[in-house]
Amino acid sequence: MPITNKDLKKSKDLVEKLLKVNGEKYNDWLHAQHQEYIENNQHLILEALSAFVGDDSSSKDNEKESKEESSESTVNTSSMENSSTFKQTV
């Protein structure tokens, strides 16, 4: 079932009131939501731009960097866990 303008207005009004109670402005919150969505889907933008310019290596480089960052994060976490275990046994 599609969302009606009336439903949208009700939701917006309620969110505006809740944000006001918390000392926030609706437009600031909405902008933050937009930025978060863009950041979470940035890979789509990069893929589209790469396809537009005909550069396939860019997406491969991004995948490689992402995998490297992921493995570094795992290594760093493991190192921290090992050091805390070591401290506890000493």
Side-chain angles (χ1 to χ4, degrees):
M1 179 167 82
I3 300 172
T4 66
N5 284 337
K6 185 178 180 179
D7 291 335
L8 286 173
K9 182 168 177 18
K10 279 182 172 179
S11 295
K12 181 182 176 186
D13 290 345
L14 179 59
V15 169
E16 281 182 310
K17 288 175 184 174
L18 291 168
L19 289 167
K20 187 173 184 177
V21 167
N22 288 319
E24 298 179 56
K25 294 181 179 179
Y26 178 78
N27 284 338
D28 294 340
W29 173 83
L30 186 59
H31 178 71
Q33 297 301 310
H34 289 162
Q35 292 304 312
E36 180 181 342
Y37 193 82
I38 290 168
E39 288 172 14
N40 290 338
N41 293 283
Q42 189 172 19
H43 65 281
L44 296 173
I45 296 167
L46 295 174
E47 287 175 13
L49 288 172
S50 294
F52 179 73
V53 296
D55 181 19
D56 190 35
S57 64
S58 176
S59 64
K60 289 179 182 176
D61 290 342
N62 289 337
E63 288 176 16
K64 183 180 176 183
E65 288 175 9
S66 178
K67 287 179 184 176
E68 289 173 356
E69 289 174 359
S70 176
S71 67
E72 287 174 4
S73 174
T74 304
V75 170
N76 290 338
T77 304
S78 298
S79 298
M80 289 177 7
E81 289 172 356
N82 289 340
S83 68
S84 66
T85 304
F86 177 75
K87 289 177 183 177
Q88 290 175 352
T89 58
V90 173

